[in-house]
Amino acid sequence: MSILAELDTLVTGLGLPVETGVFSGSAPAEYVVVTPLSDAFALHCDNRPEFDVQEARLSLYSKGNYLAAKGWLVKALIQAGFTITDRRYIGREDDTGYFHYSVDAQKSYRWE
């Protein structure tokens, strides 16, 4: 399993449209774009990594009040075992009218 696949399933389950990298086509009033941030091996003492630590940014875009969607998203991530490494309001995009809020999430996957 990868973080991108797991986040796609999680966000879709919340009823939010989601795409990776950029939202293609005409954007709905509320959607999420997932951007991969990093892949790293967790600390290990025998020079053989056991876990691949993956991190991604979820950018929530909303034409209206984004607070409810932000709450569902953060709660769902925590319940699914993700570590939230950052949350921040980016701002309102004047050219599109969307409010932008980002959540960075990290999860470890057994490396084989």
Side-chain angles (χ1 to χ4, degrees), residues 50-103:
E50 290 186 37
F51 292 95
D52 183 16
V53 181
Q54 299 177 20
E55 187 172 12
R57 174 166 294 141
L58 293 89
S59 293
L60 171 64
Y61 294 93
S62 180
K63 288 271 188 176
N65 188 337
Y66 64 91
L67 295 175
K70 175 193 85 163
W72 305 327
L73 185 59
V74 169
K75 189 173 194 176
L77 288 165
I78 291 170
Q79 288 175 341
F82 286 88
T83 299
I84 305 297
T85 59
D86 191 37
R87 298 180 299 160
R88 67 183 61 224
Y89 175 70
I90 305 300
R92 182 180 180 278
E93 298 177 349
D94 293 334
D95 58 334
T96 64
Y98 281 97
F99 293 95
H100 182 184
Y101 188 87
S102 73
V103 179

Side-chain angles (χ1 to χ4, degrees), residues 17-40:
V18 61
E19 291 196 25
T20 301
V22 66
F23 203 88
S24 58
S26 62
E30 199 164 58
Y31 64 95
V32 173
V33 172
V34 178
T35 306
L37 292 179
S38 67
D39 295 320

